[in-house]
Amino acid sequence: MNKILVRRELNPTVTLLTVEAPLIARKAEPGQFVIVRPDAEGERIPLTIADFDREAGTVTIIFQIVGATTEKLNHLMEGGCVQDIAGPLGRATHTEGLKKVAVVGGGVGCAIAYPVAKKLFEQGAEVHAVAGFRTKDLVILEDEFAAHSTLFCRMSDDGSWGEKGLVTDALKQLIEAGNQYDEVITIGPLIMMKFVCAITKQYGIKTVASMNPIMIDGTGTAA
Amino acid sequence: MAIDPNKHPMPTQAPEERAHNFREVALGYTLEVAREEASRCLNCKNQPCVKGCPVGIHIPQFIQALRKGEIEEAYQIISLTSSLPAICGRVCPQETQCEQQCTLGIRYEPVGIGRLERFVADWHNEHSTEAPQKPESNGHRVAIVGSGPSGLTCAGDLAKKGYQVTVFEALHTAGGVLVYGIPEFRLPKAIVAREVETLKALGVDIETNVIIGKTLTVDELFEQGYEAVFIGSGAGLPNFMGIPGESLKGVYSANEYLTRSNLMKAYRDDADTPIMKGGSVAVVGGGNVAMDAARTALRLGAEHVYIVYRRSMEELPARREEVEHAEEEGIDFRLLCNPVEVLGWNDPENPRDPKNGFVKAMRCIRMQLGEPDASGRRRPVEIPGSEFTLDVDTVVIAIGTSPNPLIKSTTEGLEVNRRGGIVINEDGLTSRKNVYAGGDAVTGAATVISAMGAGKTAAAAIDKALCGEQN
């Protein structure tokens, strides 16, 4: 049982929870995930670690309500508990030695992109963050990205937030303006990541895309 | 009195009834039947059955006690060498172990040793009021990685000697393969939970949701003051066939399928855990796990369930009893068949058809048996041009599992063999000082009883290493 210290609805279908998990917080790195079970009756689901605080011993997860289990998770309140949380699992995103990076997030994928941007920024890299959402109401982590990037491009499909357009439009502009990136890191819908890769391939920039697999035990045994 | 040539049959739920529920199939002997079966034992001097038991249970002695009606005494005799009799009485392959060696078996059916073990253990669990006593601590701390049969046994043996034992379990419930793998209808989870509670009463601390190799490493366990570590992390890495279409939706590893049903309770009507139910299901493989998956599929509401196995009935590695149960329940065995491709729905006219990307059928090829291979079993070879298609909605791959690679990859100096099994000596000691291992993590997927035996061996060796010869 892990206590929920913070619960914040980031948009109508995306919620943030910060939970007490000192052992996990001690080891967590951006790009890793935890296995969460909201109550004793349910499914185990993988959720990416959106943030962590080693000193406070907390881990933050951000999830979109897409099914019964995330719906249950969304009903847990501050002061309450998640039944189980295990991790950190998966491989950490490689950040070592990177000096200038574009971090491109789309939709709820920004929750995964953020800790990567934060780590790069804290280790002194030049971070160009590009975040895209369908519309203003769906925007998450705006302040967090702004505080952990040297340049922050806001994009929305309908122009209600930042520039009207796709993240790939912004990325292309940045590259064409002469920015030389050591790496582009992209996290979001498959189709978005595909187009990001198509652009970076043209310019020969190393690109890392994040896939969120389906798994149950998270110990490297699931299909 | 003449000896009854046959074992007393095990009462079971009727096949047509049990195929639709998850309650235990075998109902167990009554006291009367158990004593009658016990009286079939010849109590022979050379005790070949004991040699057939991986942990050397004093079989004739417990059976004689049972015959006299001294059930608690029989239980205590079993307890001298076995920690989990209610479990082993249910899931041990007795027909290739103790019962295979039984003298009576030369002419007749062997004594139903497993059924008697189960009876004695269940009787004890039902009648015993004796609470386990927490022994006085000897001040030594041991960490156990994994709460499956090897880990629980190792933990129990050490706790009884006064060690402070912590068991670290990656999943949320203790029991390992006994809870995530073996279904309720073959091993009720209440029995496993009871064994775990007994260990807790002995002072064993069980930490769930801690993944050794990730949350903590083996080296950190030593830093925390544990003096020895036993690794019983099992074989949870599923093997796949490497055929086209294995990544379609509706193709599961048996591991995932059974974990969803057992551990995450998808078998219950009120569960949130998604699992494919109904339709036609093909389970690929012929071991106990394949039988468990097929019978689970049936109970989840499948209309038709196939077992697709590349050899013949004779080579089928599953326990005979499980195969018979599966046949009685209506599982359709397609023997001497091997899958070559899983086919999916794909409607180019309607790319938004929700069926797209899901399994539609499985292409198989017929096989014939050729010369014996390294395992001594006749090698199956394809019959050219014999392909055929099974229409199925779900495919479950149950062709074996390999040891979990997580601990190897995070523990420097821990030697593994080419199959990923941890290398140990006869005491269970690995290539790392004070690190022991046993069970499927060493052998690859094997039996509950051999894992239990490995846990006992390691516990004795750990005791010797930490407390010396005086114990």
Side-chain angles (χ1 to χ4, degrees), chain B residues 121 153 294 312 340 350 367 386 413 449 452:
Chain B
T153 304
S312 70
V340 289
N350 180 9
M367 311 291 279
S386 67
I449 187 87
M452 214 180 87

Side-chain angles (χ1 to χ4, degrees), chain B residues 159-179:
Chain B
K160 284 176 198 158
K161 291 195 157 102
Y163 288 83
Q164 285 176 35
V165 180
T166 308
V167 178
F168 295 97
E169 167 54 49
L171 296 170
H172 57 257
T173 306
V177 73
L178 305 172
V179 296

Side-chain angles (χ1 to χ4, degrees), chain A residues 4-164:
Chain A
I4 299 167
L5 303 176
V6 179
R7 177 183 182 280
R8 194 147 57 92
E9 287 179 12
L10 301 184
N11 78 29
T13 65
V14 176
T15 299
L16 170 152
L17 295 180
T18 297
V19 299
E20 258 178 15
L23 282 180
I24 302 173
R26 220 159 53 85
K27 288 283 176 70
E29 289 291 343
Q32 290 191 296
F33 65 92
V34 286
I35 292 279
V36 178
R37 204 167 63 122
D39 63 36
E41 303 308 314
E43 185 189 13
R44 301 161 60 84
I45 55 166
L47 292 170
T48 303
I49 297 170
D51 208 348
F52 51 85
D53 185 330
R54 299 203 203 287
E55 280 175 22
T58 61
V59 169
T60 298
I61 49 176
I62 293 175
F63 58 92
Q64 185 165 30
I65 301 152
V66 291
T69 303
T70 40
E71 180 70 48
K72 271 189 173 176
L73 201 53
N74 193 44
H75 280 103
L76 301 178
M77 292 296 147
E78 263 177 29
C81 285
V82 258
Q83 179 73 26
D84 299 292
I85 175 165
L89 293 156
R91 285 176 198 276
T93 307
H94 173 81
T95 56
E96 213 169 296
L98 298 178
K99 298 274 181 281
K100 184 166 180 173
V101 182
V103 178
V104 183
V108 75
C110 289
I112 306 173
Y114 164 65
V116 179
K118 180 181 170 186
K119 173 147 193 203
L120 285 162
F121 186 77
E122 284 175 351
Q123 70 188 35
E126 195 177 333
V127 178
H128 290 180
V130 181
F133 296 92
R134 282 212 315 276
T135 183
K136 189 174 189 301
D137 293 343
L138 300 179
V139 171
I140 61 170
L141 301 174
E142 180 174 11
D143 297 344
E144 286 83 351
F145 270 110
H148 295 93
S149 58
T150 37
L151 177 76
F152 182 27
C153 300
R154 299 163 172 86
M155 304 299 291
S156 59
D157 292 2
D158 62 1
S160 58
W161 182 70
E163 299 280 314
K164 181 175 174 165

Side-chain angles (χ1 to χ4, degrees), chain B residues 227-371:
Chain B
E227 296 156 81
V229 176
F230 173 78
I231 302 169
S233 50
L237 181 66
N239 300 338
F240 281 89
M241 306 200 58
I243 58 173
E246 260 182 326
S247 55
L248 287 163
K249 289 176 232 170
V251 180
Y252 293 87
S253 67
N255 203 305
E256 178 183 351
Y257 190 70
L258 290 172
T259 301
R260 284 187 175 277
S261 178
N262 301 333
L263 180 73
M264 300 201 285
K265 300 178 182 148
Y267 74 87
R268 289 192 345 204
D269 292 337
D270 61 346
D272 299 329
T273 305
I275 195 163
M276 300 268 289
K277 291 183 183 180
S280 282
V281 181
V283 177
V284 182
N288 288 322
V289 173
M291 299 305 132
D292 285 346
R295 297 170 71 196
T296 294
L298 198 66
R299 285 159 173 76
L300 287 172
E303 287 140 31
H304 202 100
V305 183
Y306 302 95
I307 288 269
V308 177
Y309 178 59
R310 63 196 180 132
R311 292 178 156 107
S312 70
M313 192 54 103
E314 210 167 299
E315 291 83 14
L316 210 68
R319 294 186 61 198
R320 190 54 41 198
E321 185 179 291
E322 305 306 328
V323 176
E324 282 164 13
H325 282 162
E327 282 185 314
E328 286 166 11
E329 288 166 15
I331 305 289
D332 184 350
F333 283 73
R334 297 300 175 101
L335 303 170
L336 290 166
C337 291
N338 207 28
V340 289
E341 183 177 4
V342 185
L343 306 170
W345 293 96
N346 182 18
D347 184 357
E349 300 287 307
N350 180 9
R352 290 195 175 272
D353 188 331
K355 282 199 294 197
N356 286 348
F358 279 87
V359 172
K360 183 184 180 188
M362 189 163 79
R363 286 289 287 166
C364 300
I365 188 162
R366 293 189 202 285
M367 311 291 279
Q368 58 189 358
L369 293 177
E371 294 301 308

